[in-house]
Amino acid sequence: MVKTYYTDEQIETAQSKSILDVAHALGYDYKPVGQQGHMRISNVESLRHLELRPESNTFAWYNQDKKGNVIQLYRELTGSTFPEAMAYLLENEFSVSSYVPIEKMPYHNPYNFSETYTKAYHYLVNERKLDFEIIDLLCRKNYIRQETEHDNAVFQWVKFGSVVGSNIKSTNPNSSFKIISGNSESNFGFNIMIGEPSQVKDIYFFEAAVDALSYWSFNKDTIRDTMLVDLEGVKVESFINFQQYAQNLGVRLPDPSHLHICVDRDEVGQDFYNKVNIYVDEATGESLISDDRVPLESGAKDWNEYLQQTYEPDYLSVNKKGSELDSARIRKRTNGTYLLETYRANNLFQMIDCNDLEQLEKAVEDYDMTRIPHNDLKKFNLIPDEKGNKLNKEDDELEA
């Protein structure tokens, strides 16, 4: 079996191998193009747009919208996995590139964060249908923040208790804007540990943070002792790196079946699954890695799309008479506190934390309690029933 973990020094050594020598060893000829010393593959028609750049020891494949270092070039030209590419580059003699990479600076948070997370919460819970208690918890723990300039959601990447990177997602439901923050740690991403590391038995790999949180939302009542990982795309290097990071945290996976692939159910996701599927039962030839992509019969592409297909509200809607934008929702947390979400006619969204029913009643009164349906208010013991009786606490807990 090919080795699956390499040290930073070994990866640096592999990356230093001359990209021209490696291409030549694989049977590819090249000729100069332009004034910058770049080379273009000349003996294979399908690769005529692949340009080698010896001054930076990288390549750019224009018609495929791909670029990278010598490790990635070997994988593209041979269809190999990251471990196979590493083995080839370390075991064969090549000249060393004179290129010296610029030292990457440590991650430094470039954003000003809001003291609230209203827009991020509203987008993730009410637009993307993620579980409100999960998002509420992650926002309060600062795994998810809201930056002040555009109110975008910031997913912070935590490693050994420190933030080493982040990715940004617009909270505008009509925008597809998303980026990785500058100087974020390479081959890493947003990750959450559910349970103590020594007890964790499963790692789930996703293409995006929202997909990981969708899977958690969908399996909230059953998921335990689990690590959820956002690969920020389909990066085999991140897949390998996260396994090593988990081991350093104290995670001890029983066998490869506890690695769960949850990437998108599309051609790119299938290609990723094929590349990382290096653990095979010698007797049966079957894969040992678990395929936990969305059910094929659902027709969904990813776990967030699947979540939205099966979504059922977990809140009590208390729509007011009048404008459809002028309404409220009451959510009860598992710790017994409450959250009142209000929508004003001017489309202003606000969250009001209430520690107990007394505070909730005051918040509802301030909002205009007289316009909220009585049946909804009764469920939260905010008004008496027709006979003048209030629910007792036990009944309230059951019905709320």
Side-chain angles (χ1 to χ4, degrees):
M1 183 179 293
V2 177
K3 181 179 178 181
T4 60
Y5 170 68
Y6 292 90
T7 65
D8 291 342
E9 290 76 16
Q10 289 173 315
I11 293 175
E12 184 177 337
T13 298
Q15 290 176 340
S16 71
K17 300 301 177 72
S18 167
I19 200 165
L20 296 182
D21 282 7
V22 172
H24 182 72
L26 293 175
Y28 297 99
D29 297 331
Y30 39 80
K31 61 182 181 180
V33 58
Q35 303 297 318
Q36 296 176 303
H38 295 173
M39 300 289 178
R40 188 162 290 179
I41 300 296
S42 59
N43 63 330
V44 179
E45 178 63 22
S46 62
L47 300 180
R48 64 189 181 91
H49 295 291
L50 196 159
E51 187 174 283
L52 306 176
R53 299 174 172 180
E55 86 287 353
S56 60
N57 211 39
T58 62
F59 75 93
W61 196 349
Y62 295 110
N63 66 335
Q64 297 291 323
D65 193 26
K66 296 178 180 179
K67 59 183 178 179
N69 58 32
V70 66
I71 300 174
Q72 292 160 311
L73 176 72
Y74 180 84
R75 291 182 55 204
E76 290 292 342
L77 295 178
T78 63
S80 63
T81 65
F82 177 78
E84 290 169 341
M86 285 294 298
Y88 175 83
L89 293 172
L90 293 177
E91 293 170 5
N92 292 278
E93 292 293 330
F94 298 105
S95 62
V96 177
S97 169
S98 59
Y99 168 67
V100 178
I102 299 174
E103 183 179 356
K104 187 174 181 179
M105 298 297 291
Y107 175 76
H108 174 71
N109 170 50
Y111 308 102
N112 291 319
F113 289 134
S114 170
E115 293 183 0
T116 65
Y117 51 90
T118 303
K119 291 288 184 67
Y121 172 95
H122 178 48
Y123 172 74
L124 295 171
V125 173
N126 296 319
E127 296 291 340
R128 302 304 290 266
K129 309 305 182 187
L130 301 176
D131 181 84
F132 99 93
E133 284 193 332
I134 290 175
I135 299 305
D136 188 52
L137 172 67
L138 295 179
C139 286
R140 292 174 184 278
K141 295 285 188 181
N142 292 332
Y143 278 85
I144 299 175
R145 302 294 301 270
Q146 180 177 302
E147 54 88 22
T148 57
E149 186 174 0
H150 301 291
D151 295 326
N152 292 326
V154 181
F155 296 86
Q156 302 207 96
W157 305 355
V158 177
K159 184 176 185 181
F160 298 123
S162 299
V163 178
V164 298
S166 63
N167 57 286
I168 317 304
K169 179 69 181 77
S170 172
T171 54
N172 181 346
N174 298 317
S175 172
S176 59
F177 172 78
K178 57 181 180 180
I179 62 169
I180 296 177
S181 304
N183 285 332
S184 292
E185 180 164 326
S186 301
N187 303 323
F188 207 66
F190 183 77
N191 64 98
I192 294 294
M193 188 80 70
I194 305 173
E196 294 298 321
S198 60
Q199 301 299 316
V200 166
K201 301 180 178 63
D202 296 271
I203 305 179
Y204 291 76
F205 299 90
F206 302 84
E207 289 190 33
V210 168
D211 292 336
L213 299 181
S214 297
Y215 185 87
W216 188 3
S217 298
F218 195 81
N219 297 281
K220 179 183 174 184
D221 295 333
T222 58
I223 195 167
R224 298 289 185 276
D225 301 326
T226 295
M227 186 176 182
L228 303 177
V229 167
D230 161 26
L231 298 171
E232 274 304 308
V234 282
K235 302 176 183 176
V236 176
E237 291 85 350
S238 297
F239 174 73
I240 295 171
N241 193 42
F242 264 114
Q243 292 179 61
Q244 182 61 42
Y245 171 58
Q247 291 180 36
N248 291 339
L249 285 174
V251 174
R252 295 292 179 263
L253 300 178
D255 57 66
S257 67
H258 291 260
L259 299 174
H260 303 260
I261 306 302
C262 308
V263 296
D264 292 359
R265 191 171 280 284
D266 57 13
E267 184 177 347
V268 175
Q270 183 63 49
D271 181 59
F272 172 82
Y273 179 77
N274 294 338
K275 287 179 179 178
V276 302
N277 192 15
I278 59 176
Y279 301 102
V280 178
D281 187 297
E282 296 181 358
T284 64
E286 295 181 354
S287 169
L288 295 178
I289 291 182
S290 297
D291 184 351
D292 281 280
R293 289 173 288 177
V294 291
L296 182 61
E297 63 273 13
S298 71
K301 178 184 178 181
D302 55 43
W303 275 100
N304 186 248
E305 189 173 308
Y306 185 52
L307 176 68
Q308 298 210 38
Q309 286 180 3
T310 57
Y311 173 74
E312 293 182 4
D314 64 348
Y315 55 79
L316 174 67
S317 179
V318 286
N319 294 322
K320 294 172 60 175
K321 299 175 182 178
S323 169
E324 63 180 0
L325 295 176
D326 203 356
S327 61
R329 295 168 178 172
I330 301 173
R331 302 183 189 269
K332 185 175 182 180
R333 299 186 177 100
T334 54
N335 65 1
T337 63
Y338 299 86
L339 185 68
L340 175 65
E341 301 176 7
T342 66
Y343 296 78
R344 300 294 183 180
N346 61 1
N347 206 21
L348 175 66
F349 175 78
Q350 183 181 13
M351 296 190 306
I352 304 172
D353 282 297
C354 306
N355 293 327
D356 50 38
L357 283 169
E358 183 178 349
Q359 288 188 9
L360 177 62
E361 183 172 5
K362 178 65 168 59
V364 170
E365 286 176 346
D366 291 343
Y367 176 70
D368 188 357
M369 182 173 168
T370 61
R371 299 180 66 189
I372 298 176
H374 283 197
N375 287 338
D376 291 339
L377 294 170
K378 289 175 186 175
K379 290 183 179 180
F380 283 86
N381 203 27
L382 298 176
I383 60 173
D385 61 20
E386 290 80 0
K387 297 180 181 180
N389 300 319
K390 278 196 173 184
L391 300 172
N392 59 45
K393 290 185 177 179
E394 183 176 343
D395 289 338
D396 175 61
E397 290 173 356
L398 289 174
E399 295 194 35

